[in-house]
Amino acid sequence: MTSLEVAGVYVAVNMLLLIYLAFRVVSVRQSARISIGTGGNEQLEVRTRVHGNAAEYIPAMLVGLVVLALMGLPGWAIHVGGGAFTLGRVMHMVGMSGNILPLRAGGILLSWISMILVAGAILFHAFA
């Protein structure tokens, strides 16, 4: 696989994760008949925030992975950043959905570390 193809794997997986999370929100909206906001529904509140949190972090990281691939970094480097980030997002989703604080915290930490490393690699290669 080329580096861009490796980045494409993480783009696709994270896009599917966003769709899955959106589906979880929509399913509660339909069953509770809540069109806008959360209507005081705790399950909808949690699912909305899980989806919103993913939507806040995933796009920037995916851009970073594609930029690294276009800069010519090897596929293994894209796998490290993309794999760690995606694992972190799944950990965060499970932890936040199940109110499992260590999993949630570990997931966000892994997501942040991955983003910092990818941003650092972009800056390093841009100025090297």
Side-chain angles (χ1 to χ4, degrees):
M1 291 179 107
T2 67
S3 295
L4 195 54
E5 290 168 334
V6 172
V9 168
Y10 295 103
V11 169
V13 169
N14 281 276
M15 287 173 70
L16 292 172
L17 179 60
L18 280 170
I19 292 297
Y20 170 72
L21 294 173
F23 177 77
R24 287 171 25 109
V25 170
V26 169
S27 68
V28 174
R29 282 194 187 286
Q30 288 177 336
S31 67
R33 296 184 178 179
I34 300 169
S35 178
I36 303 291
T38 61
N41 184 306
E42 188 175 327
Q43 185 182 32
L44 183 55
E45 179 72 31
V46 170
R47 287 186 179 190
T48 300
R49 277 313 311 141
V50 171
H51 178 261
N53 189 276
E56 292 162 2
Y57 284 95
I58 289 174
M61 181 60 165
L62 297 183
V63 169
L65 292 176
V66 171
V67 168
L68 284 181
L70 292 173
M71 289 178 141
L73 266 73
W76 67 264
I78 309 298
H79 273 302
V80 169
F85 177 79
T86 302
L87 176 61
R89 295 318 312 157
V90 170
M91 288 170 58
H92 183 267
M93 173 193 71
V94 171
M96 195 166 173
S97 297
N99 200 22
I100 307 167
L101 189 56
L103 199 55
R104 179 181 177 188
I108 197 62
L109 186 62
L110 191 54
S111 297
W112 286 351
I113 290 169
S114 302
M115 292 179 83
I116 290 166
L117 291 174
V118 166
I122 291 169
L123 289 171
F124 178 80
H125 287 281
F127 291 110

